[in-house]
Amino acid sequence: MSAPVIERALPTPEAHDLLGLTREIASAELLPRAADDEAAGRFPRDVLRTLGQAGLLSLPFPEEFGGGGQPYEVYLQVLEEVSRAWLSVGISVSVHGLATYPMATAGTRAQQQEWLPFMLSGEALGAYCLSEPQSGSDAAALITRAERDGDDYVVTGTKAWITHGGAADFYSVMTRTSDDGHRGITCLLVTAESDGLSSAPPERKMGANASRTAAVILDGVRVSQERRIGAEGTGFAIALSALDAGRLGIAACAVGLAQAALDAAVSYARDRRQFGRPIADFQGLQFMLADMATQVAAARALYLEAARLKDAGRTFSREAAMAKLFATDAAMRVTTDAIQVHGGYGYTQDFPVERYFREAKVLQIVEGTNQVQRMVIGRDLTR
Ligand SMILES: Cc1cc2nc3c(=O)[nH]c(=O)nc-3n(C[C@H](O)[C@H](O)[C@H](O)COP(=O)(O)OP(=O)(O)OC[C@H]3O[C@@H](n4cnc5c(N)ncnc54)[C@H](O)[C@@H]3O)c2cc1C
């Protein structure tokens, strides 16, 4: 049985068409391959090219540079549908946006004219490099050094956990240019062919193995000052602002994954018979499905509210943190319950729900752990 179409109040006919196109690509190109590529740990670069050619890799960026000119309200619902079919691909779309965000928001006009058409071409893939082996939640403690040498910076250090590490065409890298804490961080654009740039073998993860995650090593990489994004010392503010938007992406990915788990649970409950009737007839099971559906709907409403604030030019940092926190915790609960609905079969690799459960876990960790989201919300409430 094909997955139900979600009722969405979309703002324009164009948005309806985009969601329709996304569902078509998802069912033709993503769903049939997801399980095998995940099991094999294959990074689906070709699928990302297909999405790029359809314009789905650059939706929230300006049309004048090749973007889709779509509001976050629409972009995130597209991202949700992509993730419903294949979370790893949704993560790639979201991270590409995260990597492009610094140039799109803090680059000079001349830099944007030079770089955004490439970044938004649908062919290029970006990576966002903030984390390091010793600095995760305390991201401002990063030590990757960028030393001035004539008109260049010379960058040395290791970036940990980089999504698309070794597979990206460009890297937005947060570096240390002075010892002045978070005010000593500078954002540099590094392209893949740079001498001295390499990547470690991909991490061996518990899930989302088709999403490539690898440390990126910078060993004396020369970066022209013309590739500095924003002024020296503004890199941390740029990184956090990108994360505010990126967290909305992760929330949408989480809703897509949770929706997939709910779809699978409802379908199984209708088919599976015990005590002479479908298990879906039992109120105990219906209550579990009702709670799952309510959490998915609430998480969707929360990310859409934050997206509408962003689209209206209002502050949305607290709301983005709330959406990421709630949606990813909801995805963890819903994927856990989806296994319960399947009984013993849910614990096997013959059904997708055990994979969804493993995939949900990472969403509570990336782009700020859910403890960090609570810090963001708590600080905003009490400042
Ligand atoms: C699959 C994957 C992909 C990733 N992709 C990227 C990427 O593309 N780019 C990138 O830059 N990074 C990426 N990351 C890194 C990710 O952002 C970090 O893993 C995350 O920020 C947490 O850092 P950490 O792993 O060092 O954990 P730590 O910061 O060491 O945290 C360990 C635990 O302590 C808790 N903790 C820490 N400080 C506090 C506090 N003050 N109060 C309460 N609890 C606290 C944390 O919540 C966590 O539970 C990725 C990670 C993974 C797993």
Side-chain angles (χ1 to χ4, degrees):
M1 197 186 70
S2 63
V5 174
I6 310 292
E7 281 294 333
R8 300 179 189 276
L10 292 164
T12 58
E14 192 188 1
H16 273 281
D17 292 347
L18 266 175
L19 264 294
L21 173 70
T22 306
R23 277 192 297 270
E24 267 173 41
I25 294 178
S27 67
E29 311 275 347
L30 272 56
L31 265 177
R33 286 179 48 174
D36 284 351
D37 281 5
E38 285 295 337
R42 257 192 310 267
F43 176 58
R45 186 67 183 88
D46 58 324
V47 168
L48 293 167
R49 272 202 192 89
T50 303
L51 293 187
Q53 280 156 10
L56 301 184
L57 267 187
S58 51
L59 282 179
F61 295 102
E63 281 176 290
E64 67 168 314
F65 297 120
Q70 290 299 311
Y72 261 64
E73 177 188 358
V74 174
Y75 156 61
L76 293 177
Q77 295 189 76
V78 167
L79 186 54
E80 181 196 320
E81 287 290 347
V82 169
S83 306
R84 185 184 184 189
W86 192 351
L87 178 71
S88 289
V89 175
I91 289 175
S92 271
V93 174
S94 187
V95 168
H96 175 70
L98 183 69
T100 305
Y101 202 87
M103 180 59 81
T105 57
T108 64
R109 180 91 190 145
Q111 284 177 319
Q112 291 175 345
Q113 280 166 340
E114 181 179 357
W115 289 105
L116 282 180
F118 160 71
M119 293 175 169
L120 301 175
S121 63
E123 288 294 320
L125 202 57
Y128 171 90
C129 303
L130 178 63
S131 304
E132 297 185 1
Q134 80 297 334
S135 58
S137 301
D138 186 10
L142 66 86
I143 57 174
T144 290
R145 201 91 211 174
E147 302 279 2
R148 283 277 194 109
D149 183 25
D151 289 340
D152 295 342
Y153 291 96
V154 178
V155 186
T156 300
T158 299
K159 290 293 175 181
W161 304 109
I162 302 308
T163 302
H164 303 155
D169 301 289
F170 67 92
Y171 297 80
S172 296
V173 185
M174 308 312 147
T175 63
R176 180 156 297 290
T177 44
S178 89
D179 291 327
D180 191 12
H182 67 84
R183 289 185 206 84
I185 294 172
T186 299
C187 181
L188 298 177
L189 173 65
V190 179
T191 46
E193 74 286 354
S194 305
D195 284 341
L197 181 82
S198 62
S199 68
E203 301 293 343
R204 294 159 60 231
K205 298 174 297 186
M206 68 182 271
N209 280 305
S211 175
R212 189 186 164 94
T213 314
V216 170
I217 298 120
L218 300 114
D219 183 9
V221 176
R222 294 194 86 85
V223 183
S224 159
Q225 277 187 60
E226 289 174 2
R227 295 188 184 183
R228 188 186 67 223
I229 303 176
E232 269 196 14
T234 61
F236 197 60
I238 291 170
L240 291 192
S241 151
L243 280 177
D244 278 344
R247 281 168 186 158
L248 290 178
I250 296 301
C253 288
V255 173
L257 178 67
Q259 181 69 53
L262 173 65
D263 296 340
V266 170
S267 167
Y268 186 83
R270 283 188 177 136
D271 286 349
R272 174 71 174 168
R273 297 178 72 85
Q274 288 293 286
F275 301 97
R277 47 215 280 225
I279 58 171
D281 283 0
F282 301 121
Q283 194 180 49
L285 214 100
Q286 281 188 15
F287 278 12
M288 197 185 295
L289 294 173
D291 284 346
M292 291 160 73
T294 304
Q295 288 178 67
V296 173
R300 182 178 293 123
L302 209 49
Y303 88 60
L304 281 173
E305 177 59 16
R308 287 174 186 135
L309 285 173
K310 177 172 177 9
D311 291 334
R314 310 269 284 277
T315 57
F316 65 98
S317 181
R318 185 207 302 184
E319 290 76 9
M322 287 174 164
K324 194 273 182 183
L325 167 64
F326 185 85
T328 60
D329 281 356
M332 197 70 249
R333 285 191 298 267
V334 169
T335 55
T336 305
D337 286 348
I339 294 178
Q340 195 68 16
V341 169
H342 283 69
Y345 294 99
Y347 198 63
T348 70
Q349 294 177 7
D350 299 334
F351 289 83
V353 287
E354 64 82 31
R355 172 163 67 84
Y356 296 157
F357 168 84
R358 288 185 285 108
E359 291 173 348
K361 187 64 216 171
V362 80
L363 299 174
Q364 295 180 305
I365 296 169
V366 293
E367 298 200 21
T369 65
N370 283 5
Q371 286 73 33
V372 167
Q373 306 307 322
R374 289 179 172 91
M375 281 164 57
V376 171
I377 298 162
R379 278 183 192 153
D380 191 64
L381 285 169
T382 56
R383 73 190 161 147

